[in-house]
Amino acid sequence: MTIESLPGSSGYLDLFPERRMTYFSNPYVLGLTVVAGIGGLLFGYDTGVISGALLYIKDDFEVVNQSSFLQETIVSMALVGAMVGAASGGWINDAYGRKKATLLADVVFTAGAIVMAIAPDPYVLILGRFLVGLGVGIASVTAPVYIAEASPSEVRGGLVSTNVLMITGGQFISYLVNLAFTEVPGTWRWMLGVSAVPAVIQFFFMLCLPESPRWLFMKNEKAKAIAVLSKIYDIARLEDEVDHLSAALEEERQKKRTVRYLDVFKTKEIRLAFVAGAGLQAFQQFTGINTVMYYSPTIVQMAGFKSNQLALLLSLVVAAMNAAGTIVGIYLIDHVGRKKLALSSLSGVIASLVILAGAFFAESSGSSNGLYGWLAVIGLALYIAFFSPGMGPVPWTVNSEAYPEQYRGICGGMSATVNWISNLIVAQTFLTIAEAVGTGATFLILAGIAVLAVAFVIVFVPETKGLTFVEVEQIWKERAWGSGYNTDSLLEQGNES
């Protein structure tokens, strides 16, 4: 059986194409997406703000100024927290729901922001960074899944990508805040402390939003789920969606087992899905995006622009391009498709990293020509212009839709953990590697990794544009067992093994 023969809401849309939703069709869904996406804004703000705050933390704490390792630890401790948050976030999502997981993330993040703002020394600051990372890690698992489960399939990619837009928007806002506080006593304390504001806002808005309808169905709260779905679909399509969720619930009951971490690797089709999802998350980081976002002011200074304010201003331009590129990605992801968008994005990333490497090689040769500094800034801008529409949203979108319902929380948490581990490795080693082999060689290494990412996407990542969750699940069964096999019986055999 192939995916074209499956029943589902895509068939409903074939019969009634005029009822296909667009991004702005339903204000309720869009509002839910934006509120859930504030978790992405916290992610983005935390990513961007530390790049500017670090310049002033070094001024206040001499021990930080003298240690690249301590600088990397201040940046990367949030990633350690995010790894813990993402690893536990999948279980929290499945056990207590997407809504409660979001509320918990807000509380933890707010506590971390307060600790950072009042930190008397670098070590308390590092503790605060861990707490905000913990909150961000939980949110990074929760927001894409919550949005995807409340989204019509035909606009799911764009709506999930709104979470990525919130990430890039948060990064842009962080640079604005950094600039605003450069002349204010306390500089970095204000920069880090104000991050509590969006967390508090999301907490109170989230209290007014419903739980994910799919999670409610899985917890046998059918009436509540239908009430939520009735705000998303018209009456004709509502019946179709309810039938799908009922079928998913029945399938879950028949399996009658609790999903464990090892089950992800025991079942072939789930293993293939996880490799694709986690691989995309790893390559998103190892191609250097958060190297650029965490250290862009430092990179600008390496390129010869020594003023803190000028470094932040040029980095603000980079962040603005990141947000603008994500808006383009929201449109393209449901029109061009996930796979083509990722491949075109990676091609531009490779070219941009080569330009960056060339600029730093030329600068390190001893030339005082200011042209090379500007070439490095152009390389940064081009990198963002190519990365943000593709490799920014695609990994999160694919991970929000790649897994069957019973695996979605646990696989989403595991793949987000891979993202944060990769993020940590890059953030903790970038300055050290740049000091050891040179900044130009470091960017060439990232370009080589991007080439490997192209090969990975071609081989392992299928196109999921516009497909229902049932159809996506069938893709993995066909990849695992072939379209001529009885995939249902084979799945049961895999579960028993």
Side-chain angles (χ1 to χ4, degrees):
M1 180 170 62
T2 61
I3 61 173
E4 288 79 7
S5 63
L6 286 170
S9 52
S10 60
Y12 171 86
L13 292 174
D14 289 339
L15 292 174
F16 305 102
E18 71 280 0
R19 295 182 181 176
R20 183 177 293 271
M21 291 191 185
T22 64
Y23 185 81
F24 294 102
S25 289
N26 191 317
Y28 178 80
V29 176
L30 189 58
L32 179 150
T33 298
V34 171
V35 172
I38 294 176
L41 187 142
L42 297 175
F43 177 3
Y45 186 91
D46 181 69
T47 301
V49 74
I50 194 62
S51 63
L54 188 61
L55 301 177
Y56 296 93
I57 292 169
K58 290 189 294 184
D59 292 341
D60 276 8
F61 300 122
E62 183 63 25
V63 65
V64 177
N65 191 43
Q66 294 176 351
S67 172
S68 291
F69 175 78
L70 199 52
Q71 293 173 41
E72 290 170 333
T73 302
I74 289 171
V75 171
S76 60
M77 187 51 64
L79 306 180
V80 175
M83 287 163 46
V84 176
S88 59
W91 175 81
I92 294 170
N93 267 268
D94 286 343
Y96 298 104
R98 302 11 172 167
K99 180 175 178 175
K100 289 180 180 178
T102 303
L103 295 173
L104 175 63
D106 289 330
V107 171
V108 174
F109 190 97
T110 301
I114 294 171
V115 170
M116 289 191 300
I118 64 175
D121 57 57
Y123 307 102
V124 175
L125 175 60
I126 288 170
L127 172 63
R129 292 285 294 161
F130 176 82
L131 290 174
V132 298
L134 193 62
V136 164
I138 297 171
S140 71
V141 177
T142 307
V145 172
Y146 182 67
I147 295 168
E149 291 184 343
S151 300
S153 60
E154 65 270 26
V155 291
R156 187 173 59 233
L159 290 170
V160 173
S161 296
T162 301
N163 184 58
V164 183
L165 175 61
M166 298 293 276
I167 294 174
T168 57
Q171 290 167 340
F172 178 73
I173 291 171
S174 73
Y175 286 117
L176 286 176
V177 170
N178 282 347
L179 279 173
F181 287 115
T182 53
E183 302 298 331
V184 176
T187 52
W188 61 269
R189 296 183 185 277
W190 287 102
M191 294 173 181
L192 299 177
V194 298
S195 62
V197 174
V200 173
I201 291 173
Q202 185 185 42
F203 182 89
F204 286 105
F205 272 112
M206 202 70 199
L207 290 174
C208 303
L209 289 181
E211 182 52 79
S212 156
R214 284 182 170 268
W215 187 85
L216 289 171
F217 250 92
M218 290 300 167
K219 296 300 179 180
N220 294 315
E221 298 189 46
K222 187 173 180 180
K224 290 182 180 179
I226 292 174
V228 177
L229 290 170
S230 67
K231 298 178 181 179
I232 301 172
Y233 302 105
D234 61 35
I235 190 65
R237 187 168 174 184
L238 174 62
E239 183 179 354
D240 194 60
E241 295 294 331
V242 170
D243 288 345
H244 270 84
L245 288 176
S246 297
L249 177 59
E250 184 59 31
E251 182 179 349
E252 176 70 7
R253 283 174 175 167
Q254 287 177 2
K255 290 178 179 175
K256 291 182 180 178
R257 67 191 188 96
T258 301
V259 174
R260 297 163 298 179
Y261 286 101
L262 286 178
D263 294 332
V264 173
F265 304 101
K266 288 180 178 178
T267 308
K268 188 175 181 181
E269 61 265 34
I270 306 302
R271 185 166 65 244
L272 290 175
F274 178 71
V275 167
L280 279 173
Q281 296 284 30
F283 278 117
Q284 183 191 68
Q285 296 305 318
F286 283 120
T287 50
I289 180 56
N290 280 322
T291 293
V292 171
M293 298 315 299
Y294 287 130
Y295 294 113
S296 58
T298 303
I299 293 169
V300 168
Q301 289 187 334
M302 287 177 177
F305 301 96
K306 300 303 181 184
S307 164
N308 283 359
Q309 285 84 358
L310 180 58
L312 286 173
L313 184 61
L314 291 173
S315 298
L316 179 64
V317 175
V318 172
M321 292 190 66
N322 197 14
T326 305
I327 294 173
V328 174
I330 288 174
Y331 172 79
L332 293 177
I333 199 164
D334 282 319
H335 290 78
V336 174
R338 286 67 158 142
K339 188 168 185 173
K340 289 180 182 177
L341 192 56
L343 290 173
S344 59
S345 174
L346 285 167
S347 300
V349 163
I350 293 167
S352 304
L353 289 169
V354 170
I355 292 172
L356 269 169
F360 279 98
F361 277 128
E363 191 270 339
S364 64
S365 67
S367 172
S368 59
N369 191 341
L371 175 64
Y372 297 129
W374 284 108
L375 184 61
V377 173
I378 291 170
L380 279 176
L382 286 175
Y383 175 94
I384 289 297
F386 282 108
F387 185 97
S388 56
M391 283 302 289
V394 167
W396 295 106
T397 301
V398 170
N399 274 278
S400 73
E401 63 192 8
Y403 312 115
E405 177 67 37
Q406 65 271 26
Y407 286 91
R408 194 165 299 136
I410 195 169
C411 286
M414 290 169 65
S415 62
T417 303
V418 169
N419 183 291
W420 289 112
I421 291 173
S422 306
N423 195 335
L424 172 64
I425 292 170
V426 172
Q428 187 68 38
T429 60
F430 174 73
L431 292 179
T432 302
I433 293 175
E435 288 176 0
V437 303
T439 310
T442 303
F443 283 120
L444 273 186
I445 292 170
L446 294 175
I449 293 172
V451 172
L452 294 177
V454 169
F456 176 85
V457 172
I458 291 173
V459 174
F460 291 102
V461 180
E463 183 53 70
T464 56
K465 179 185 75 170
L467 300 181
T468 66
F469 288 118
V470 174
E471 291 168 338
V472 173
E473 184 175 353
Q474 185 64 25
I475 285 178
W476 298 118
K477 289 181 179 180
E478 291 182 6
R479 285 197 167 202
W481 310 111
S483 58
Y485 287 83
N486 185 331
T487 55
D488 290 332
S489 63
L490 285 170
L491 177 57
E492 293 303 317
Q493 290 173 23
N495 291 339
E496 292 167 3
S497 62

